[in-house]
Amino acid sequence: MIHSLFLINCSGDIFLEKHWKSVVSQSVCDYFFEAQEKAADVENVPPVISTPHHYLISIYRDKLFFVSVIQTEVPPLFVIEFLHRVADTFQDYFGECSEAAIKDNVVIVYELLEEMLDNGFPLATESNILKELIKPPTILRSVVNSITGSSNVGDTLPTGQLSNIPWRRAGVKYTNNEAYFDVVEEIDAIIDKSDDVSFHPCIRFKRWESERVLSFIPPDGNFRLISYRVSSQNLVAIPVYVKHCISFKENSSCGRFDITIGPKQNMGKTIEGITVTVHMPKVVLNMNLTPTQGSYTFDPVTKVLTWDVGKITPQKLPSLKGLVNLQSGAPKPEENPSLNIQFKIQQLAISGLKVNRLDMYGEKYKPFKGVKYVTKAGKFQVRT
Amino acid sequence: MPYLGSEDVVKELKKALCNPHIQADRLRYRNVIQRVIRHMTQGLDMSGVFMEMVKASATVDIVQKKLVYLYMCTYAPLKPDLALLAINTLCKDCSDPNPMVRGLALRSMCSLRMPGVQEYIQQPILNGLRDKASYVRRVAVLGCAKMHNLHGDSEVDGALVNELYSLLRDQDPIVVVNCLRSLEEILRQEGGVVINKPIAHHLLNRMPKLDQWGQAEVLNFLLRYEPRSEEELFDILNLLDSFLKSSSPGVVMGATKLFLILAKKFPHVQTDVLVQVKGPLLAACSSESRELCFAALCHVRQILHSLPGHFSSHYKKFFCSYSEPHYIKLQKVEVLCELVNDENVQQVLEELRGYCTDVSADFAQAAIFAIGGIARTYTDQCVQILTELLGLRQEHITTVVVQTFRDLVWLCPQCTEAVCQALPGCEENIQDSEGKQALIWLLGVHGERIPNAPYVLEDFVENVKSETFPAVTMELLTALLRLFLSRPAECQDTLGRLLHYCIEEEKNMAVRDRGLFYYRLLLAGIDEVKRILCSPKSDPSLGLLEDQAERPVNSWASDFNTLVPVYGKARWATISKYQGAEHRGPELPDTASFATSGPLIPEENKERVQELPDSGALVLVPNCQLTAEYFEKTWFSLKVAHQQVFPWRGAVHPDTLQMALQVVNIQTIAMSRAGAHPWKAYLSAQDDTGCLFLTELLLESENSEMQISVKQNEPRTETLNSFISVLETVFGTIGDIKS
């Protein structure tokens, strides 16, 4: 299914390759580079490219391209999902999915790729099973290893391989048993009309359908239990508002820019981690602004204004105002730019969703249980 | 570290690997090996230390073993004789007490890819299939496929295949899936693994135990199973229900496709499924992974072909945000264009209008073309927006708007007046060939309604010497001659100058010939010019061809969850044609080359064709001329009486087809141009009793099938059958000519 994998950085160096069937020459990536050149911006390289003898399906993650070489007809979503799983695994093992981390751990990377695919088919991809096969690098472990000479590889067969539940190995034993739930909600500014839910395969679907209870054998480690979407009618409120006044004068080389952010209905919780990004029109040369809090940058090449606000204190609302310098003689911009806003509210699920009960059966010990709520901005755009 | 050429590196590493002191120190030894691997992964040729690495495989250290195996698999094809030495160690490791070592050794052995290795791996694989550790069985099962590939597909080992089929009952879910994968490769020549009733139901029952990859693949394999009864079919659909709600989009898509294929005779079930997966699909469209969004959007477009209203209430999901990559924005614009309806048209147009001034010229132009597409239904609003865009006086915007106008007046003549009013002034902001051609065409055809048309064309004539595109000059000739017919006084002088230039000075032969032709045509008299040049100014019936009429789900169900929706069927056909030679499967025959010269219908075929009307009870009357409007009205009022597909290879040559159809008294109402995708044609015929046969031909792409839908105004099966056989013969005849 997946013939080969190439890892390519932003400057176009192939810094790692792995082949599961015959070796495919690096020159196949020339087609990818061609597409990259055509796309101008790295972000715009199409995920599926055809070459005379192969298809290249790629993902772009953390400034790296994972380019897979395919020779037969495949379901595209399957390959894309798998590539993301590979990147997730690197992230999980090395703390970050960067060129440096992959190069530093190249041997582990190869071991991982060897276990994740055989003959081009996905095999072990669950984090907890992989960790049994290949131990992740830690500073302590590498010190211990260098003293004792022991290896990063488990030398017994992973027990999980015998478990009939693919997402959980058998006979897990810890001194502390913990089950924490993070309820993370993201707000899309354009909110959809219907509610939808999708489930991790561990959930007993029939029981959910009949009793509306999420019953499951939990995977060992982090995982996404359910994802859901809530309709706009059920939403309490959009937690922030923006007052904006952006204007460009006709036949003049300057404009006015003024935005203020305030909390709407946030139930006593602080809104924090606010960042505003604005893609200014082409004719904007520079911006001369004063923020009442935080700091701002304007990149005259990409025309992107970024304002790192921090958190909102209701007594003094953060604002950013000043002048915009335009290219003289150019016509005034047709449209005002949209504002993209990022924020976070701890200890609040905006939909009002709560974990009602968390019961564990079949174990004698008492595990630690906990639920944490976070609301974040998803695709939150304010049009001006 | 000083830079060393690969030769120096090899030399240095070789020395280190041979050093007995290093060999004695486990850690240092392993470090040297790691360095070899590191260089290997960077593409340096490390085959020089093969011998030393083989020696290093004799160790109890698993990490070291793994690294050496990895090395051997990479370089064995280059050093086959040396690699044979390693086989001994590997064989020994295949019976190691540690299942992990057994698995590793077996996997590496199967991946050696060098001639002669087959005889050594056969026994370890057979042992591996019966190993008590599932880890080893998984490796051994895939090893069977690798071994088969090494044999060069010569013969299929029946006993092995049977063993693999029986391992489908293995208790380990990954072994089960690997068996399917392996059998599929081994039996490729015979059409792949056979899914019979017991296997299908066994797999269905094991589904919940599989991981997402296994589920997605099993769903794909189940596509080839045909349930025996309706009852069984619905049992299967019930079992599949929960997979439509999986958290993995790949599984959701796989399950959806299986539903669509299984329920091919139950359109309402198909619609239900598409309603059920609407949520997951929309979620995928706004997924964190841009690539998933893209693939999901491509599938949304496919669904919209059959259910145009399906996503209409969710139109805001498809609004673009500036940070999205291009390929997603372009898909979203297409989706918006297709889901527009009376309720959302205002908002969608407003949104698209915003994109028209995007920083990226490509995206802006795509948005303008999209508005042009919507204009076919909501003409007034769109023409107004497009006219406003002209006011921006931006070159890249103006050219596309004018091209959109040209296509629009051809399809929707009611907007001609508005377009003509918008045109003055455009000429200042158009530089490219396409835009100029569109403007000149509009000025020529509708010049009598545009007061300054002759003067704009005159400007073009003034600058004709510096015109770099011959196509523009050609268009200018035709336009000016046309305008001359309606406004002779204003054009005569300019036309004279242009003709003089084209005949006397122009270097391009095609332009010169066109000039000469028009000159001679003028000599033949003005009536003759009118007869030749005054063709219709619009053709609303073309809209019927371009129409996004609802296509049955079954027409695309088999392409769902493949690469076809990503590429579009036509492009996919071209791509896979190239790749046909690569596959080991049944070879695609070469596309028949198309003879464009010589008589279109050879003599003997002509006779065959002419004999046709007498061959049955059916007599088609000649000269049954229907107007396009009448045809359209009748077409929509009738039900499809017969549907059939004919095998078809290559592109359609409309002239040939039209001629052949005329010979048997079948008239062509409308036909796509050659090479269009999808290619469509509408035909009509009448028999001597007055019964009408209306026919739609649809060719989705090259190298597929010609779909034929026939409607009849009087239900008569006999004549219908004769009519179909007439069509069949015509297609057969044309096929003969082509091959």
Side-chain angles (χ1 to χ4, degrees):
Chain A
M1 183 165 278
I2 294 174
H3 214 95
S4 303
L5 176 72
F6 293 95
L7 298 193
I8 301 176
N9 65 16
C10 271
S11 29
D13 306 319
I14 304 171
F15 65 93
L16 191 123
E17 57 184 283
K18 166 89 184 138
H19 307 274
W20 284 274
K21 294 188 142 193
S22 53
V23 176
V24 178
S25 156
Q26 281 200 354
S27 61
V28 76
C29 294
D30 291 350
Y31 294 95
F32 177 81
F33 296 133
E34 215 172 274
Q36 197 175 16
E37 217 163 280
K38 223 161 76 194
D41 191 354
V42 283
E43 306 249 324
N44 292 338
V45 184
V48 185
I49 298 168
S50 68
T51 80
H53 299 293
H54 307 92
Y55 323 117
L56 304 178
I57 299 187
S58 64
I59 63 161
Y60 181 64
R61 278 270 300 255
D62 303 295
K63 304 217 155 49
L64 297 180
F65 286 101
F66 290 67
V67 182
S68 62
V69 181
I70 313 288
Q71 261 190 330
T72 43
E73 173 62 66
V74 288
L77 282 101
F78 182 95
V79 179
I80 291 170
E81 265 187 288
F82 179 78
L83 293 177
H84 276 291
R85 183 63 68 87
V86 172
D88 289 342
T89 308
F90 291 168
Q91 174 87 35
D92 186 29
Y93 263 71
F94 315 130
E96 56 169 1
C97 175
S98 66
E99 185 182 354
I102 291 172
K103 277 183 166 167
D104 286 349
N105 296 292
V106 72
V107 174
I108 295 187
V109 166
Y110 267 90
E111 288 179 58
L112 284 172
L113 292 176
E114 187 78 3
E115 292 296 341
M116 291 183 83
L117 277 184
D118 187 8
N119 206 24
F121 299 111
L123 282 187
T125 56
E126 290 293 326
S127 151
N128 65 70
I129 289 174
L130 277 171
K131 282 190 177 151
E132 290 270 296
L133 289 163
I134 303 147
K135 297 219 171 90
T138 61
I139 297 165
L140 182 66
R141 184 168 297 119
S142 55
V143 173
V144 171
N145 284 355
S146 61
I147 296 166
T148 62
S150 72
S151 64
N152 266 349
V153 180
D155 36 19
T156 51
L157 181 77
T159 38
Q161 300 286 337
L162 289 171
S163 154
N164 277 338
I165 308 158
W167 56 87
R168 191 177 176 89
R169 60 210 161 105
V172 189
K173 283 201 170 58
Y174 290 115
T175 40
N176 288 325
N177 290 292
E178 302 163 331
Y180 292 121
F181 283 76
D182 286 353
V183 179
V184 180
E185 302 201 332
E186 291 195 349
I187 306 178
D188 284 5
I190 299 165
I191 293 156
D192 212 88
K193 279 203 180 117
S194 64
D195 306 348
D196 277 295
V197 188
S198 72
F199 300 109
H200 188 277
C202 71
I203 292 175
R204 296 180 183 105
F205 190 67
K206 288 267 156 15
R207 182 127 190 243
W208 164 255
E209 282 201 310
S210 56
E211 300 168 43
R212 295 279 141 172
V213 169
L214 295 169
S215 153
F216 57 94
I217 299 171
D220 189 25
N222 286 331
F223 69 103
R224 182 178 289 223
L225 182 66
I226 66 169
S227 40
Y228 56 91
R229 296 191 304 126
V230 185
S231 66
S232 49
Q233 299 96 303
N234 297 345
L235 200 65
V236 188
I238 303 278
V240 294
Y241 69 86
V242 180
K243 276 198 284 193
H244 51 80
C245 171
I246 303 172
S247 61
F248 305 105
K249 270 185 233 133
E250 195 73 66
N251 303 323
S252 142
S253 64
C254 74
R256 222 155 60 85
F257 185 94
D258 182 352
I259 52 177
T260 307
I261 302 181
K264 246 187 190 158
Q265 187 180 354
N266 58 354
M267 297 145 218
K269 300 285 191 306
T270 326
I271 304 171
E272 48 187 35
I274 305 168
T275 352
V276 181
T277 33
V278 190
H279 202 87
M280 299 301 290
K282 252 201 302 205
V283 292
V284 173
L285 285 181
N286 219 329
M287 303 185 72
N288 204 341
L289 310 171
T290 348
T292 56
Q293 75 175 70
S295 59
Y296 85 97
T297 54
F298 176 73
D299 182 345
V301 181
T302 57
K303 314 286 182 203
V304 176
L305 166 74
T306 315
W307 179 25
D308 194 349
V309 188
K311 59 177 163 189
I312 301 184
T313 34
Q315 294 75 25
K316 192 167 181 296
L317 297 180
S319 70
L320 179 69
K321 55 180 91 172
L323 292 178
V324 184
N325 294 321
L326 302 178
Q327 206 177 314
S328 56
K332 132 186 147 87
E334 184 57 23
E335 294 261 306
N336 270 346
S338 335
L339 317 174
N340 285 268
I341 300 173
Q342 289 293 322
F343 60 82
K344 221 158 74 175
I345 309 168
Q346 301 282 6
Q347 299 305 328
L348 174 77
I350 197 83
S351 67
L353 181 127
K354 284 210 171 68
V355 176
N356 194 22
R357 287 176 66 85
L358 174 51
D359 296 323
M360 290 214 181
Y361 303 98
E363 294 292 350
K364 285 184 219 66
Y365 56 79
K366 281 260 176 284
F368 290 97
K369 299 185 284 192
V371 180
K372 202 167 81 185
Y373 299 92
V374 184
T375 295
K376 287 199 269 189
K379 288 180 183 148
F380 200 101
Q381 207 175 61
V382 178
R383 309 231 161 141
T384 59
Chain B
M1 201 179 88
Y3 175 78
L4 294 169
S6 85
E7 277 168 37
D8 294 330
V9 176
V10 172
K11 221 180 270 170
E12 190 213 316
L13 287 170
K14 197 171 194 159
K15 225 165 93 192
L17 285 168
C18 295
N19 188 335
H21 295 294
I22 293 182
Q23 286 180 359
D25 183 340
R26 239 175 102 177
L27 269 181
R28 275 177 75 196
Y29 197 28
R30 197 205 290 160
N31 271 335
V32 178
I33 292 168
Q34 287 202 353
R35 278 179 57 206
V36 173
I37 302 291
R38 219 176 269 269
H39 288 306
M40 177 183 97
T41 60
Q42 282 157 12
L44 270 106
D45 181 12
M46 285 287 127
S47 62
V49 293
F50 199 91
M51 200 57 209
E52 289 71 23
M53 290 294 276
V54 170
K55 275 187 198 148
S57 68
T59 171
V60 287
D61 181 350
I62 294 196
V63 173
Q64 185 166 330
K65 249 190 215 299
K66 254 191 191 179
L67 297 179
V68 174
Y69 288 165
L70 184 66
Y71 174 90
M72 289 198 295
C73 293
T74 314
Y75 291 115
L78 297 175
K79 305 253 170 180
D81 35 337
L82 289 178
L84 281 178
L85 294 174
I87 290 211
N88 220 354
T89 326
L90 286 167
C91 278
K92 218 168 74 209
D93 285 347
C94 283
S95 42
D96 195 277
N98 181 346
M100 184 124 172
V101 175
R102 292 204 296 274
L104 263 178
L106 188 56
R107 186 159 69 206
S108 309
M109 240 166 131
C110 298
S111 309
L112 279 178
R113 285 193 288 270
M114 50 177 223
V117 76
Q118 299 97 300
E119 52 179 307
Y120 299 98
I121 59 176
Q122 188 156 17
Q123 199 50 48
I125 286 180
L126 290 177
N127 295 344
L129 290 177
R130 295 173 197 127
D131 201 289
K132 60 181 189 301
S134 58
Y135 183 75
V136 183
R137 291 201 300 278
R138 293 173 186 176
V139 172
V141 166
L142 284 184
C144 297
K146 293 181 191 167
M147 181 165 68
H148 179 77
N149 286 339
L150 283 170
H151 273 294
D153 285 351
S154 53
E155 58 199 77
V156 174
D157 180 348
L160 192 68
V161 168
N162 284 341
E163 181 127 19
L164 286 175
Y165 269 118
S166 65
L167 273 172
L168 283 173
R169 306 266 168 196
D170 196 282
Q171 55 148 334
D172 181 75
I174 296 184
V175 171
V176 174
V177 180
N178 278 0
C179 278
L180 290 171
R181 294 161 167 167
S182 204
L183 282 168
E184 181 71 6
E185 272 188 32
I186 294 172
L187 300 173
R188 187 173 290 159
Q189 300 262 326
E190 284 132 64
V193 56
V194 177
I195 307 288
N196 59 20
K197 189 171 175 178
I199 294 181
H201 285 267
H202 169 66
L203 291 175
L204 281 165
N205 291 326
R206 294 299 294 270
M207 275 289 280
K209 294 264 165 75
L210 304 178
D211 61 6
Q212 64 181 95
W213 321 109
Q215 289 180 347
E217 277 182 76
V218 167
L219 287 167
N220 218 359
F221 281 116
L222 285 171
L223 288 172
R224 53 184 84 154
Y225 177 65
E226 186 121 11
R228 306 283 161 77
S229 64
E230 231 170 77
E231 202 184 348
E232 188 191 355
L233 169 78
F234 283 101
D235 281 349
I236 293 178
L237 294 186
N238 279 336
L239 283 171
L240 287 174
D241 222 26
S242 63
F243 299 102
L244 292 173
K245 290 275 172 201
S246 164
S247 67
S248 152
V251 174
V252 174
M253 298 298 261
T256 309
K257 178 170 185 176
L258 186 53
F259 257 92
L260 294 179
I261 297 282
L262 285 176
K264 55 178 178 276
K265 294 196 185 113
F266 304 92
H268 62 281
V269 177
Q270 289 181 324
T271 316
D272 280 356
V273 171
L274 292 174
V275 170
Q276 271 200 61
V277 297
K278 196 152 103 176
L281 250 182
L282 282 171
C285 286
S286 50
S287 148
E288 247 173 280
S289 150
R290 52 181 77 212
E291 296 83 11
L292 276 183
C293 292
F294 170 73
L297 284 166
C298 293
H299 283 89
V300 164
R301 282 183 60 194
Q302 199 168 41
I303 294 175
L304 282 172
H305 287 163
S306 296
L307 305 169
H310 199 52
F311 292 98
S312 291
S313 54
H314 301 274
Y315 66 96
K316 284 188 178 167
K317 276 265 155 194
F318 303 101
F319 283 2
C320 304
S321 118
Y322 85 83
S323 51
E324 278 167 334
H326 246 124
Y327 52 83
I328 289 191
K329 287 186 185 172
L330 294 180
Q331 289 296 329
K332 284 190 169 176
V333 166
E334 295 275 342
V335 170
L336 283 174
C337 194
E338 280 172 53
L339 54 67
V340 79
N341 64 14
D342 290 353
E343 274 113 71
N344 60 28
V345 62
Q346 207 52 44
Q347 286 86 334
V348 169
L349 282 177
E350 225 158 81
E351 182 71 16
L352 284 173
R353 195 186 169 287
Y355 305 158
C356 296
T357 48
D358 194 271
V359 246
S360 151
D362 286 344
F363 180 47
Q365 296 186 336
I368 297 170
F369 278 128
I371 296 180
I374 296 176
R376 288 173 197 173
T377 327
Y378 300 97
T379 314
D380 295 346
Q381 285 143 292
C382 295
V383 171
Q384 198 191 337
I385 292 177
L386 291 170
T387 309
E388 281 167 23
L389 288 173
L390 288 177
L392 296 173
R393 302 181 161 271
Q394 295 279 320
E395 259 175 43
H396 72 277
I397 294 179
T398 309
T399 170
V400 179
V401 171
V402 171
Q403 290 171 51
T404 311
F405 277 158
R406 173 197 53 196
D407 298 345
L408 207 54
V409 294
W410 187 253
L411 296 174
C412 313
Q414 72 274 21
C415 70
T416 311
E417 197 56 52
V419 167
C420 289
Q421 279 171 15
L423 281 182
C426 286
E427 66 278 2
E428 289 162 30
N429 297 303
I430 295 185
Q431 293 300 329
D432 66 313
S433 160
E434 282 293 318
K436 278 186 191 170
Q437 287 179 56
L439 177 65
I440 293 172
W441 184 88
L442 280 166
L443 291 171
V445 174
H446 298 288
E448 79 273 8
R449 304 197 201 184
I450 306 168
N452 72 340
Y455 309 101
V456 177
L457 289 179
E458 188 175 3
D459 279 346
F460 276 109
V461 173
E462 296 278 290
N463 298 320
V464 73
K465 277 193 187 129
S466 51
E467 179 56 61
T468 44
F469 309 106
V472 173
T473 316
M474 302 256 253
E475 196 66 62
L476 189 59
L477 265 170
T478 313
L480 202 52
L481 190 56
R482 275 202 185 121
L483 193 59
F484 171 68
L485 296 176
S486 55
R487 299 167 75 168
E490 292 153 296
C491 293
Q492 188 171 11
D493 181 47
T494 324
L495 179 62
R497 268 186 289 148
L498 181 62
L499 283 173
H500 181 265
Y501 166 79
C502 288
I503 296 166
E504 296 292 329
E505 289 178 55
E506 175 62 48
K507 302 254 174 4
N508 184 299
M509 277 305 137
V511 177
R512 194 168 165 270
D513 280 353
R514 176 79 61 98
L516 271 172
F517 170 68
Y518 284 153
Y519 178 69
R520 288 175 189 141
L521 188 62
L522 282 164
L523 288 181
I526 207 73
D527 292 333
E528 200 58 18
V529 179
K530 276 188 182 150
R531 202 172 66 81
I532 304 276
L533 275 181
C534 290
S535 42
K537 294 186 176 186
S538 68
D539 185 4
S541 71
L542 256 181
L544 191 67
L545 289 179
E546 302 256 338
D547 199 11
Q548 298 286 339
E550 295 165 36
R551 273 193 258 159
V553 173
N554 288 333
S555 71
W556 50 261
S558 57
D559 297 331
F560 198 76
N561 200 25
T562 65
L563 287 169
V564 174
V566 177
Y567 282 115
K569 198 156 184 171
R571 189 154 148 57
W572 178 249
T574 340
I575 296 167
S576 37
K577 199 165 65 195
Y578 272 120
Q579 271 143 357
E582 279 297 296
H583 297 312
R584 293 205 196 81
E587 294 280 318
L588 290 172
D590 284 339
T591 331
S593 58
F594 199 91
T596 41
S597 56
L600 284 169
I601 300 180
E603 282 311 308
E604 66 266 49
N605 284 333
K606 230 178 217 164
E607 280 164 29
R608 260 174 62 191
V609 172
Q610 271 158 352
E611 277 167 17
L612 276 171
D614 312 320
S615 61
L618 175 82
V619 180
L620 295 178
V621 293
N623 303 326
C624 136
Q625 290 287 10
L626 299 186
T627 63
E629 291 75 28
Y630 180 76
F631 179 89
E632 192 177 340
K633 216 177 81 201
T634 325
W635 177 261
F636 284 119
S637 65
L638 294 174
K639 281 212 176 79
V640 175
H642 182 88
Q643 222 164 7
Q644 192 175 346
V645 288
F646 288 123
W648 191 271
R649 300 224 169 270
V652 185
H653 210 267
D655 297 343
T656 323
L657 185 61
Q658 193 169 356
M659 217 168 118
L661 289 167
Q662 213 154 21
V663 174
V664 292
N665 294 332
I666 298 177
Q667 310 302 327
T668 311
I669 301 290
M671 208 179 244
S672 313
R673 66 193 153 71
H677 296 293
W679 185 89
K680 277 193 192 179
Y682 290 91
L683 314 173
S684 78
Q686 196 167 22
D687 73 359
D688 49 358
T689 64
C691 176
L692 268 179
F693 299 91
L694 306 184
T695 311
E696 180 196 57
L697 307 181
L698 173 64
L699 188 67
E700 292 271 358
S701 67
E702 294 179 29
N703 283 339
S704 65
E705 288 152 334
M706 178 76 86
Q707 283 186 37
I708 295 176
S709 325
V710 183
K711 299 186 178 181
Q712 209 181 2
N713 67 349
E714 292 163 41
R716 274 191 244 160
T717 335
E718 268 172 51
T719 52
L720 181 66
N721 288 342
S722 319
F723 181 74
I724 301 291
S725 70
V726 170
L727 278 179
E728 208 165 344
T729 322
V730 171
F731 292 140
T733 316
I734 292 186
D736 284 350
I737 302 171
K738 288 163 66 176
S739 53

